[in-house]
Amino acid sequence: MGAEPYPSRPVRLFVPYSPGTGPDIIARTLATNLSSKWGQTVVVENKPGASGMLAAEQVVRAKPDGYTLLLGYTPEVSLNKLVFKKMRYDPIADLTPI
């Protein structure tokens, strides 16, 4: 038996910014297009705060099965490491760009 096709269930797309912002609009456009292409729902979840780290941490803690994605921008994937002494995730080790 082969692997099931991806995605076979809804995908969550985390956005580290508030609804109505530029990244949110990009995420919603991307979600609409991916939903059409994949035939599965892509749910946008806004999780602003802590310079994007709240959303990034949510994605890092999720099961690494490709069903929880992050629309990452510069702070949460590169700058925060230079600004904050402690982060609960390592953007290089814990996140995979797609």
Side-chain angles (χ1 to χ4, degrees):
M1 182 188 294
E4 65 182 29
Y6 176 86
S8 59
R9 58 186 167 88
V11 174
R12 295 165 62 197
L13 176 59
F14 279 88
V15 181
Y17 302 93
S18 299
T21 60
D24 175 65
I25 293 166
I26 291 168
R28 292 181 190 283
T29 302
L30 180 62
T32 299
N33 290 326
L34 289 175
S35 290
S36 283
K37 182 177 177 134
W38 288 343
Q40 285 291 339
T41 303
V42 177
V43 179
V44 174
E45 295 191 32
N46 298 85
K47 192 145 185 111
S51 294
M53 290 188 288
L54 295 180
E57 288 172 16
Q58 187 90 26
V59 172
V60 167
R61 286 193 301 259
K63 184 177 177 183
D65 58 6
Y67 287 89
T68 306
L69 306 176
L70 173 70
L71 184 72
Y73 277 86
T74 306
E76 54 276 0
V77 297
S78 63
L79 288 180
N80 285 349
K81 214 169 158 88
L82 303 172
V83 175
F84 295 95
K85 289 183 181 182
K86 288 187 178 183
M87 289 177 60
R88 292 184 281 211
Y89 69 97
D90 178 345
I92 303 297
D94 297 333
L95 297 170
T96 303
I98 55 171

